[in-house]
Amino acid sequence: MRRNNMSHSRRDFVRMTCCSLASASVLSGLGRFGMMSALAAGPTCSDYKALVCIFLFGGNDGNNTIVPITTAGYQTYATARGSQAMGGLALDQSALLPLNGGLFGMHPQLKELQALFNSNNVAILANVGTLVKPFSSRQDYFSGLVPAPDNLYSHADQQDQWQTLQMSGESSTGWAGRLADLLVAGGSCANPAFPPIVSVFGEAILCTGKLTQPFALSPGAPPGLFDSTVTDPAGLARFAAFQQVLQFDTGISLVQPASGTTAKALSESQYLAAALKSAPSLATNFPTSFIGAQLKQVAQIIAVQSQLGVNRQIFFCALGGFDTHGDQINIQQNLFSQLSPAMNAFYSATKELNVASKVTTFTLSDFSRTLQPASNAGSDHAWGSHQLIMGGAVKGGTLYGTFPQLVLNGPDDATTNGRWIPTTAVDQYGATLAYWFGLSSSDVNSIFPNLQNFATTDLGFLA
């Protein structure tokens, strides 16, 4: 049965639903049971850097995100996608936003990101996806000689694989969480009083480590549990009573660790709340969309990085609704009209805070969509897609990787309707970000389990 990103299982709900204030603080500690006793040394950090993930839940259609604009390239694309008048998905060539180089254009609603690309602050990574090993040809995939990830085209499985890099079965940790574990082990990169990883979109397996869990909060809301940041006598009394409950020795082995982790989450909430009191007012105007609110909250936390005492931070944001089985043109247009201004405002905020070269924002998504339209002016689940990387350290204005041949049943098609076999692995994508973050080759290999199968481990899109 097809599952779209607006209807999730219990596992999906726990991982991706934006938490209430109460559940955010509690969930931030639930994964600490059974920690690892030892880790690698981790990096040494004398400067500040942050990674900001924006997950596009549902499977963003990469085919209409980046489109060939040469005469021959566009004609091939338009032939396969079909005209909108006939229920197809081809965007008008005149509406596409041209990118430096003259080969490709962006979706018409990505005008802010087009400007950032053309000013060398955004890069495109083409046809990246979940891979165990590289496929040298389409026949490698059909023959089964090269293993493919389990359950391709499944939302739940592909979302997990993008976040954990476990291409068969399930993993209890995500690659950003494993990276955060190493930051904690490094000592100089993290602060025991506050975790190096923060989610403003609830719990996500990407952020889950063995030693670390994300601090989760709702954007724009005070961090904390109930009224823990209230200073009036009644509020302080309720908070003190709640702390006493947490300290009560029940003698039950599961309850005691849970109480301890909740108490730690409360402590982290108070620590962040105290730091945010000194946050400067940002002159940058953020859009009022949900993704705009998330990125504004991230910018506000980055602004108090020195007060938090952390030199490396990872943030998780998300935008849902990309499972476009019908009415794709209108739905993607609406979502991009939220995404592009929000990302642009966030980049402007990093410039305002003088950290643009220290903050790298990147997109992930379940998969792309089929090049061939499906019924109801939509498309089906596919595989390799195009992702965006933004920041002052990005070697922008360039398309990295290999753009697929947009030919149905062609050399890059895993089926017959335009599901591109990825030519770059998520492991390579994440490893490039991790190298920029300051991790050594041995640490990077410990985080990205499939990286050893690929000749190139740094894709070169970061300075």
Side-chain angles (χ1 to χ4, degrees):
M1 178 182 296
R2 177 183 294 139
R3 301 191 331 170
N4 63 42
N5 64 310
M6 302 304 291
S7 176
H8 298 291
S9 67
R10 182 175 65 178
R11 176 180 66 176
D12 298 328
F13 178 81
V14 171
R15 289 181 179 173
M16 293 179 292
T17 300
C18 188
C19 304
S20 66
L21 291 179
S23 62
S25 293
V26 174
L27 283 171
S28 68
L30 287 180
R32 291 190 177 97
F33 309 140
M35 317 176 160
M36 293 188 300
S37 59
L39 284 171
T44 299
C45 305
S46 58
D47 58 353
Y48 176 74
K49 287 183 179 180
L51 290 171
V52 181
C53 172
I54 302 176
F55 203 108
L56 307 179
F57 279 111
N60 174 49
D61 177 34
N63 297 307
N64 274 11
T65 304
I66 308 298
V67 181
I69 58 173
T70 63
T71 301
Y74 179 81
Q75 186 59 49
T76 300
Y77 154 85
T79 299
R81 292 238 98 170
S83 71
Q84 293 182 42
M86 301 298 293
L89 299 174
L91 299 172
D92 290 340
Q93 187 171 14
S94 62
L96 295 169
L97 305 174
L99 300 175
N100 287 347
L103 298 178
F104 300 99
M106 273 189 177
H107 188 282
Q109 288 297 321
L110 298 178
K111 57 182 181 295
E112 294 87 358
L113 291 175
Q114 176 219 19
L116 287 171
F117 181 93
N118 288 340
S119 63
N120 299 329
N121 297 121
V122 163
I124 298 164
L125 182 57
N127 199 20
V128 56
T130 54
L131 289 171
V132 179
K133 294 180 178 180
F135 293 98
S136 61
S137 69
R138 188 185 190 208
Q139 186 57 34
D140 281 352
Y141 172 69
F142 287 136
S143 68
L145 293 177
V146 176
D150 289 352
N151 301 320
L152 292 172
Y153 324 132
S154 155
H155 283 296
D157 293 280
Q158 292 306 298
Q159 287 169 8
D160 276 6
Q161 288 173 20
W162 269 87
Q163 296 179 73
T164 68
L165 306 176
Q166 181 75 36
M167 302 304 171
S168 180
E170 293 191 2
S171 172
S172 61
T173 63
W175 60 262
R178 297 192 291 270
L179 196 160
D181 284 344
L182 290 170
L183 297 179
V184 171
S188 64
C189 300
N191 180 355
F194 193 75
I197 194 161
V198 174
S199 173
V200 290
F201 193 80
E203 290 291 296
I205 188 66
L206 176 74
C207 307
T208 302
K210 289 290 186 181
L211 288 177
T212 54
Q213 295 290 312
F215 181 86
L217 77 161
S218 298
L225 185 63
F226 305 114
D227 56 3
S228 65
T229 58
V230 175
T231 56
D232 66 89
L236 291 173
R238 286 191 293 270
F239 184 53
F242 186 73
Q243 287 182 309
Q244 287 181 337
V245 171
L246 293 175
Q247 294 168 4
F248 180 70
D249 186 0
T250 64
I252 301 174
S253 58
L254 183 61
V255 171
Q256 289 304 115
S259 295
T261 56
T262 303
K264 190 174 190 306
L266 285 174
S267 175
E268 293 168 354
S269 299
Q270 291 182 305
Y271 191 79
L272 177 59
L276 287 174
K277 288 180 180 179
S278 62
S281 296
L282 291 171
T284 300
N285 183 31
F286 278 82
T288 58
S289 62
F290 183 44
I291 187 63
Q294 292 177 66
L295 289 169
K296 181 178 181 179
Q297 182 71 80
V298 171
Q300 290 169 334
I301 296 174
I302 289 174
V304 295
Q305 162 265 327
S306 60
Q307 291 90 323
L308 291 172
V310 289
N311 286 332
R312 292 289 186 276
Q313 288 186 288
I314 305 168
F315 296 92
F316 183 81
C317 310
L319 180 62
F322 286 92
D323 193 22
T324 48
H325 289 282
D327 196 24
Q328 176 173 303
I329 294 294
N330 291 325
I331 292 173
Q332 191 181 45
Q333 177 173 298
N334 176 57
L335 292 170
F336 280 173
S337 72
Q338 300 171 50
L339 180 67
S340 184
M343 289 182 67
N344 181 61
F346 181 69
Y347 180 71
S348 295
T350 63
K351 290 201 297 182
E352 179 184 343
L353 295 169
N354 199 31
V355 294
S357 64
K358 301 176 182 179
V359 179
T360 297
T361 304
F362 61 99
T363 64
L364 306 178
S365 191
D366 317 21
F367 33 60
S368 185
R369 320 291 304 181
T370 54
L371 181 67
Q372 185 178 59
S375 58
N376 301 316
S379 57
D380 287 325
H381 305 169
W383 194 357
S385 191
H386 314 313
Q387 303 300 335
L388 304 175
I389 309 103
M390 178 182 75
V394 174
K395 297 179 182 178
T398 300
L399 185 145
Y400 294 83
T402 304
F403 200 85
Q405 296 186 43
L406 304 185
V407 178
L408 301 179
N409 202 27
D412 295 321
D413 194 350
T415 55
T416 60
N417 54 1
R419 292 181 166 102
W420 312 130
I421 299 171
T423 44
T424 298
V426 185
D427 289 72
Q428 295 171 287
Y429 185 15
T432 305
L433 297 167
Y435 282 126
W436 175 77
F437 227 39
L439 271 69
S440 67
S441 294
S442 60
D443 284 343
V444 168
N445 284 321
S446 73
I447 295 170
F448 301 96
N450 308 296
L451 190 63
Q452 61 184 339
N453 299 325
F454 298 86
T456 302
T457 61
D458 187 334
L459 300 174
F461 56 73
L462 283 164

